[in-house]
Amino acid sequence: MSEIVCPCQSGKTYSLCCQPFHLAKAKPETAEQLMRSRYSAFALRLVDFLVTTTHPNSRSPRLKRDLEASIDETTWIGLEILKTSGGGSGDKTGKVEFVAKYRFGKDPKVLELHEHSRFRRFKGNWLYLDGKG
Ligand SMILES: [Zn+2]
C-alpha cells in the first residue's frame, strides 16, 4: 500500500504525497496541494475527506450524499495542473486550473473535466470553495 504511486500523478509515492493529508497527519500548505489531495480522494473514494475540505459556505446539506452518488460511477484516471495563482503559504485565496480525465460508469470513453477551482483559507487551513469550467 505504501509504495503505490500517488493518484494525483505527482510522481511521488502515495505515502509521501497525499496520504498524510488524507490521514490528517499533515495539512496542505498550498492550494495546489489541497487540490491534488482532493483529486486523490476522489480517486480513492474518500468522501469524508472531500466533505471536510469543502469550505463551509459551499458545504450544502446534500454534499455528502451527492459525492457518494457520483463517486461510485466515476473512475479518475489522470490529472494535469495547468495553472495556479495565489494559494501560497502567505496567501488567503488561491486558484488552480486543471484537467482531470475520467470514465463514467462502464463507458470506456475517456472524458475530461476542465475546471477553474477557487480555494480559500478557513481557520488557517486551505479549503475548496467552488469551481467552474
Ligand atoms: Zn498526491
Side-chain angles (χ1 to χ4, degrees):
M1 183 67 182
S2 61
E3 290 306 310
I4 67 164
V5 174
C6 195
C8 82
Q9 299 195 330
S10 59
K12 293 188 249 183
T13 59
Y14 178 52
S15 61
L16 295 175
C17 189
C18 294
Q19 189 179 38
F21 305 138
H22 293 163
L23 297 176
K25 289 185 173 166
K27 294 192 165 158
E29 285 169 26
T30 66
E32 181 180 337
Q33 282 180 339
L34 177 64
M35 192 273 136
R36 286 181 172 281
S37 68
R38 284 177 51 86
Y39 173 86
S40 295
F42 271 104
L44 299 169
R45 301 179 179 181
L46 304 173
V47 172
D48 288 338
F49 181 83
L50 294 167
V51 171
T52 57
T53 56
T54 298
H55 196 283
N57 292 357
S58 308
R59 216 181 278 168
S60 81
R62 302 191 324 268
L63 179 63
K64 185 165 182 176
R65 249 180 300 149
D66 288 350
L67 285 166
E68 283 170 341
S70 71
I71 214 161
D72 286 337
E73 297 275 20
T74 312
T75 304
W76 295 96
I77 52 180
L79 173 67
E80 188 185 353
I81 307 281
L82 301 179
K83 198 173 162 206
T84 63
S85 64
S89 49
D91 295 314
K92 289 196 164 68
T93 62
K95 289 181 190 169
V96 180
E97 180 184 0
F98 65 92
V99 174
K101 294 195 167 85
Y102 66 99
R103 286 193 297 264
F104 190 77
K106 304 228 180 295
D107 192 340
K109 193 170 67 170
V110 174
L111 304 169
E112 283 192 355
L113 170 70
H114 184 178
E115 186 178 301
H116 297 75
S117 293
R118 294 197 299 163
F119 297 87
R120 190 175 289 175
R121 276 191 198 274
F122 181 76
K123 297 180 178 170
N125 300 324
W126 284 112
L127 295 179
Y128 172 74
L129 187 63
D130 58 19
K132 58 181 193 300

PDB file of all heavy atoms in Angstrom, residues 6 8 10 17-18 40, ligand 1:
ATOM      1  N   CYS A   6       1.160   7.931  -6.172  1.00  0.00           N
ATOM      2  CA  CYS A   6       0.018   8.749  -5.768  1.00  0.00           C
ATOM      3  C   CYS A   6      -0.941   8.966  -6.946  1.00  0.00           C
ATOM      4  O   CYS A   6      -0.499   9.280  -8.048  1.00  0.00           O
ATOM      5  CB  CYS A   6       0.488  10.089  -5.222  1.00  0.00           C
ATOM      6  SG  CYS A   6      -0.834  10.914  -4.326  1.00  0.00           S
ATOM      7  N   CYS A   8      -2.621  11.419  -7.681  1.00  0.00           N
ATOM      8  CA  CYS A   8      -2.589  12.786  -8.226  1.00  0.00           C
ATOM      9  C   CYS A   8      -1.501  12.963  -9.282  1.00  0.00           C
ATOM     10  O   CYS A   8      -1.364  14.036  -9.862  1.00  0.00           O
ATOM     11  CB  CYS A   8      -2.436  13.810  -7.110  1.00  0.00           C
ATOM     12  SG  CYS A   8      -0.743  14.045  -6.534  1.00  0.00           S
ATOM     13  N   SER A  10       1.727  13.107  -9.124  1.00  0.00           N
ATOM     14  CA  SER A  10       2.879  13.947  -8.810  1.00  0.00           C
ATOM     15  C   SER A  10       4.174  13.217  -9.135  1.00  0.00           C
ATOM     16  O   SER A  10       5.235  13.826  -9.205  1.00  0.00           O
ATOM     17  CB  SER A  10       2.861  14.281  -7.320  1.00  0.00           C
ATOM     18  OG  SER A  10       2.904  13.076  -6.559  1.00  0.00           O
ATOM     19  N   CYS A  17       3.029  11.735  -0.473  1.00  0.00           N
ATOM     20  CA  CYS A  17       2.321  12.804  -1.193  1.00  0.00           C
ATOM     21  C   CYS A  17       0.991  13.088  -0.499  1.00  0.00           C
ATOM     22  O   CYS A  17       0.962  13.808   0.497  1.00  0.00           O
ATOM     23  CB  CYS A  17       2.148  12.393  -2.654  1.00  0.00           C
ATOM     24  SG  CYS A  17       1.517  13.711  -3.700  1.00  0.00           S
ATOM     25  N   CYS A  18      -0.091  12.521  -0.972  1.00  0.00           N
ATOM     26  CA  CYS A  18      -1.407  12.892  -0.462  1.00  0.00           C
ATOM     27  C   CYS A  18      -1.853  12.114   0.779  1.00  0.00           C
ATOM     28  O   CYS A  18      -2.731  12.577   1.506  1.00  0.00           O
ATOM     29  CB  CYS A  18      -2.459  12.737  -1.567  1.00  0.00           C
ATOM     30  SG  CYS A  18      -2.217  13.896  -2.934  1.00  0.00           S
ATOM     31  N   SER A  40      -6.951  13.002  -5.433  1.00  0.00           N
ATOM     32  CA  SER A  40      -6.629  11.653  -4.955  1.00  0.00           C
ATOM     33  C   SER A  40      -7.772  11.081  -4.119  1.00  0.00           C
ATOM     34  O   SER A  40      -8.058   9.885  -4.187  1.00  0.00           O
ATOM     35  CB  SER A  40      -5.356  11.662  -4.117  1.00  0.00           C
ATOM     36  OG  SER A  40      -4.246  12.013  -4.899  1.00  0.00           O
TER      37      SER A  40
HETATM   38 ZN    ZN B   1      -0.610  13.142  -4.390  1.00  0.00          ZN
END
